[in-house]
């Protein structure tokens, strides 16, 4: 499964959305294989915790999209069908639900979205990206996303 994370508000703007200022879940069930999350330009801290029956694990890869522009790989927004020319793995998170260990929030920012660059924060920031998820019997993973001030 994939979660496409975009800083582009959908057109037309759905009723009840405040784009581009709010974090929004645009497709929460991912029945077509891809969920969608709107994450406005800025910097964030991301926390994760595994819940449910012990023994499961989940791997999440952060992948950014590139297209060949004048034969040069250039970071671009991910196409909704993820048919971009190239993809680059930029982060990896491994979450385990271990027996006898109480679930707690772990800072996963460096693994999922470096706070130094954030989303659309200058040349070094990510444009759209996606999280590729490999689940092995983990019943529930919670993510908490907090907007923070970007470093100057």
């Amino acid at each position: 499964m994939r979660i496409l994370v975009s800083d582009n508000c959908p057109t037309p703007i759905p009723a009840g959305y405040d784009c581009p200022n709010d974090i929004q879940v645009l497709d929460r069930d991912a029945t077509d294989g891809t969920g969608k999350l709107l994450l406005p330009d800025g910097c964030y801290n991301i926390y994760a915790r595994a819940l449910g029956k012990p023994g499961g694990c989940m791997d999440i890869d952060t992948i950014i999209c590139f297209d060949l522009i004048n034969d040069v790989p250039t970071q671009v927004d991910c196409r909704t069908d993820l048919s971009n020319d190239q993809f680059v793995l930029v982060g990896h998170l491994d979450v385990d639900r271990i027996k006898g260990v109480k679930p707690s929030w772990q800072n996963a920012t460096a693994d999922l979205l470096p706070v130094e660059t954030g989303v659309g924060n200058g040349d070094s920031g990510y444009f759209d990206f996606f999280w590729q998820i490999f689940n092995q019997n983990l019943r529930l993973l919670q993510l908490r996303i907090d907007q923070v001030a970007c470093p100057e």
Side-chain angles (χ1 to χ4, degrees):
M1 182 182 82
R2 297 178 296 256
I3 299 175
L4 178 61
V5 183
S6 177
D7 62 348
N8 295 320
C9 192
T11 305
I13 298 173
Y17 284 63
D18 181 17
C19 296
N21 299 320
D22 288 347
I23 297 172
Q24 302 281 338
V25 177
L26 302 175
D27 180 352
R28 69 185 61 138
D29 62 12
T31 55
D32 62 354
T34 303
K36 293 183 178 102
L37 175 69
L38 174 68
L39 198 60
D41 288 352
C43 294
Y44 300 88
N45 282 332
I46 302 176
Y47 299 89
R49 74 174 171 179
L51 298 174
K53 184 177 176 181
C57 65
M58 183 180 290
D59 292 324
I60 304 172
D61 293 332
T62 300
I63 300 172
I64 56 177
C65 300
F66 284 81
D67 282 339
L68 292 175
I69 300 175
N70 297 325
D71 293 326
V72 176
T74 305
Q75 184 185 182
V76 296
D77 288 335
C78 296
R79 296 182 192 130
T80 55
D81 63 356
L82 298 177
S83 62
N84 294 80
D85 296 329
Q86 297 179 6
F87 304 98
V88 176
L89 176 69
V90 294
H92 176 80
L93 175 66
D94 179 29
V95 180
D96 299 313
R97 178 66 177 96
I98 301 169
K99 185 175 183 174
V101 176
K102 183 179 177 184
S104 62
W105 290 104
Q106 303 295 318
N107 190 329
T109 306
D111 301 311
L112 296 178
L113 177 67
V115 70
E116 297 82 23
T117 57
V119 178
N121 184 29
D123 292 337
S124 60
Y126 295 163
F127 296 166
D128 293 356
F129 59 95
F130 64 95
W131 289 320
Q132 180 74 45
I133 299 170
F134 304 97
N135 188 8
Q136 298 166 344
N137 300 317
L138 184 66
R139 300 286 291 174
L140 178 61
L141 173 73
Q142 291 181 326
L143 291 179
R144 189 178 80 216
I145 303 173
D146 299 326
Q147 191 163 16
V148 296
C150 292
E152 293 184 20

